[in-house]
Structure formats: C-alpha cells, structure tokens
Amino acid sequence: MTTMQLDCFLLVAETLNFAAAADRLHVTQPAVTQQIHSLEKELNVKLFKRTTRTVKLTPEGYVFLNDAKSIQHIIGHAKKRFEEPEGRELVLFSMGCHSQDELSLLPAILEKMRMHYPALHPVFQIIPFQHLHQLLKEDSVDVILDFQKELSRKNYEKYQELTKVKTICILPKDSPWSQKDCLTIEDLKKEKIILFNPQIAPDCFNSIQRAILDQKSMTDIYMQDSPKSCITLAQAGFGIALLPDLLPHSEDGLLYLPLTGFAPMSYGAYYNSTAGNPVLKLFLRLCREQFTT
C-alpha cells in the first residue's frame, strides 16, 4: 500500500469524482483509476460502486475510509516529526462516533484533557453505527461513543454508561400539542412522523421506531438519514420528529416533548482496555463528571 494509493482513494471518496481527484493530484484520470484498482486488488474488496453517472463508496469503502485517514494521519505526523525534531511528542487520541452532531458533547472534555496533555492531538472518526465496533475490534480507535447494543457484547469490549437517553418528540411551537408536557404513542396515531433511517439508527432506538411504524401507513412517514434532516422537516411542519434526546436543544421555534411508555436508552463509551492508556482513563473520568452534573 502506497501513499499515492491512499491519496487517490481519499480524494475520490471526498469528491466522488475521479476526474476531480486527478485534477487536484495533478495526474491523469487513468492514473487515479489504476491506483484505485491496485488498492482494491491488494485489499481484495471493491471500494467504490461506479456507474456512468455516479461514484459511491461501498460498505467496505466506508470501513476503509477511516483506516486510510488514520494511516495518512500517522504518515503526516511521522514526516512532521522529522521536519521538526525539537518539537514535542504528539499525544494521539482517537475517538469514534456515528455523527458530527455528537462532537458537540466533547469540547469541554477535550479542553480539560488539553490542560493535562498540552501536546494532545485528538482524531475523530465518524462512521455509521453498524461499523463503529469494527474500529474498536481492530484497535483503530481508543474509544467509541455509542448506545448500548441490544445484542450481547463481544468479550473484547468494555462499556461505561455515561447517561440515560429518553426519546424526544420535536414539533413546532404552534402545534396543537404545545400545551402538553409529554406525548404518548396514542397521541402520535393520527400524526405524520419523521423517523431516523433504521439502517443507520442504533438498535435500541429502532425498537421504539418499530412500535411507531406498526400503527402508520407509509404516506404518514418520512425517513431521514441524519438527526439534522429530521429536525429540518419538523421545523418545516412536515410532522413530528422522533430522536434520542442526546444533544442540546438549539433550534428556535420548536418544542421538545418526551415520548412516554418507553425505557430510556443507555449511551456510553466502549473501549478495549485502559491498561497503559492514561489518556483514555482521563477521558472516561471527565465523561463521567460531565454527564453526571
């Protein structure tokens, strides 16, 4: 595996366009195609699904995307270290989560970590729920943030619960339900509902969504691929959005009402071991302190 292969892969993954990647690398498009093919042959997987009109990452491509970023990151730091031999040794700390939105939970924690480790260099890996635990299994990250899985956990993983998360109903402030403190599944029977795509939602939340789906026709349901898109449709009056109540409520003009009748979901940190990893120990301690206050 060469740095040129990684550069080609990452630029095609970013632009979803072989010609654009070639232009940025100042090489020909066939050269980029050849590098991708040789990388796929070496890995024995297809990284891109390519038609005459579109280029998309395959599931294997999504998984390798994080590996490629990590490898490129390590190579870049190795070069930098020798360019500046008197510089401080970097303290790398890699975290995995499923969406950019979850990063809003981390600034205060990372600020305190930086006070302990001035050379701290956080690395974020954003990947769908179904692939998160593969990163941990391969030791590609120090820790992942995730909802507790319904299936039995692999024996190599440890789990620290950080908080319990309720399901929240998001709707405009002028909604007929605005006088209520919470909603029930019965209240939602005649409402249009905005749900999180079950292919990328956590298992524990999917069980709640299934209960809602059982009483709905497809014309009353909007499936979205991100929490932000669910909230956007709720703001536009398309229906009531259902999401885990994990992130701060920042959008104006919306109500956030708990959905009763369902047990809260456990959200926390998965990791392999804290042995010999004081940075991870500090991260877990700071997480406990933040989520319990």
Side-chain angles (χ1 to χ4, degrees), residues 45-99:
V45 295
K46 294 293 287 185
L47 297 172
F48 294 99
K49 183 178 180 180
R50 189 178 181 185
T51 69
T52 55
R53 293 186 176 183
T54 63
V55 176
K56 294 183 179 180
L57 281 165
T58 63
E60 293 81 4
Y62 273 113
V63 173
F64 182 67
L65 179 60
N66 291 279
D67 293 331
K69 288 180 178 178
S70 296
I71 295 168
Q72 189 184 60
H73 194 80
I74 292 170
I75 291 171
H77 281 298
K79 291 179 178 178
K80 191 71 174 177
R81 184 179 295 114
F82 288 106
E83 289 172 2
E84 301 177 9
E86 301 303 320
R88 293 178 297 182
E89 186 73 17
L90 293 176
V91 179
L92 294 176
F93 184 67
S94 183
M95 294 162 280
C97 58
H98 89 282
S99 81

Side-chain angles (χ1 to χ4, degrees), residues 199-219:
Q199 291 183 311
I200 55 178
D203 293 340
C204 54
F205 187 62
N206 272 333
S207 64
I208 297 172
Q209 294 199 136
R210 282 194 295 270
I212 305 297
L213 286 169
D214 287 344
Q215 61 179 17
K216 291 289 178 188
S217 68
M218 290 309 298
T219 56

Side-chain angles (χ1 to χ4, degrees), residues 192-196 222 224 229-230 233-234 238-242:
K192 292 185 181 293
I193 302 297
I194 306 159
L195 299 177
F196 197 15
Y222 298 93
Q224 299 299 306
S229 57
C230 290
L233 288 190
F238 279 79
I240 298 175
L242 268 64

Side-chain angles (χ1 to χ4, degrees), residues 102-114 124 290:
E102 286 175 86
L103 298 183
S104 65
L105 301 171
L106 299 176
I109 293 171
L110 293 174
E111 182 179 9
K112 292 175 181 177
M113 291 179 71
R114 181 173 56 83
F124 304 111
Q290 173 168 302

Side-chain angles (χ1 to χ4, degrees), residues 55-244:
V55 176
K56 294 183 179 180
L57 281 165
T58 63
E60 293 81 4
Y62 273 113
V63 173
F64 182 67
L65 179 60
N66 291 279
D67 293 331
K69 288 180 178 178
S70 296
I71 295 168
Q72 189 184 60
H73 194 80
I74 292 170
I75 291 171
H77 281 298
K79 291 179 178 178
K80 191 71 174 177
R81 184 179 295 114
F82 288 106
E83 289 172 2
E84 301 177 9
E86 301 303 320
R88 293 178 297 182
E89 186 73 17
L90 293 176
V91 179
L92 294 176
F93 184 67
S94 183
M95 294 162 280
C97 58
H98 89 282
S99 81
Q100 295 281 352
D101 297 329
E102 286 175 86
L103 298 183
S104 65
L105 301 171
L106 299 176
I109 293 171
L110 293 174
E111 182 179 9
K112 292 175 181 177
M113 291 179 71
R114 181 173 56 83
M115 300 301 292
H116 285 80
Y117 296 97
L120 181 70
H121 196 90
V123 178
F124 304 111
Q125 302 208 39
I126 314 299
I127 192 168
F129 279 111
Q130 61 267 38
H131 301 305
L132 264 179
H133 291 259
Q134 187 66 24
L135 295 178
L136 198 61
K137 184 177 180 180
E138 296 171 352
D139 277 328
S140 298
V141 293
D142 294 286
V143 64
I144 60 174
L145 299 175
D146 193 6
F147 289 88
Q148 189 171 23
K149 298 176 72 65
E150 292 180 353
L151 301 176
S152 59
R153 302 195 303 275
K154 303 294 185 182
N155 56 15
Y156 57 80
E157 292 178 340
K158 296 178 175 60
Y159 178 72
Q160 174 181 297
E161 181 177 279
L162 300 177
T163 188
K164 291 287 192 182
V165 179
K166 296 179 181 179
T167 299
I168 201 81
C169 300
I170 305 172
L171 57 160
K173 284 186 176 179
D174 59 0
S175 165
W177 299 108
S178 60
Q179 301 305 311
K180 296 198 68 172
D181 295 326
C182 61
L183 294 180
T184 67
I185 192 170
E186 188 69 23
D187 294 331
L188 301 180
K189 278 189 175 181
K190 295 182 179 180
E191 299 290 335
K192 292 185 181 293
I193 302 297
I194 306 159
L195 299 177
F196 197 15
N197 186 337
Q199 291 183 311
I200 55 178
D203 293 340
C204 54
F205 187 62
N206 272 333
S207 64
I208 297 172
Q209 294 199 136
R210 282 194 295 270
I212 305 297
L213 286 169
D214 287 344
Q215 61 179 17
K216 291 289 178 188
S217 68
M218 290 309 298
T219 56
D220 291 331
I221 297 167
Y222 298 93
M223 285 290 182
Q224 299 299 306
D225 288 341
S226 72
K228 183 61 178 177
S229 57
C230 290
I231 294 171
T232 297
L233 288 190
Q235 285 178 304
F238 279 79
I240 298 175
L242 268 64
L243 287 173

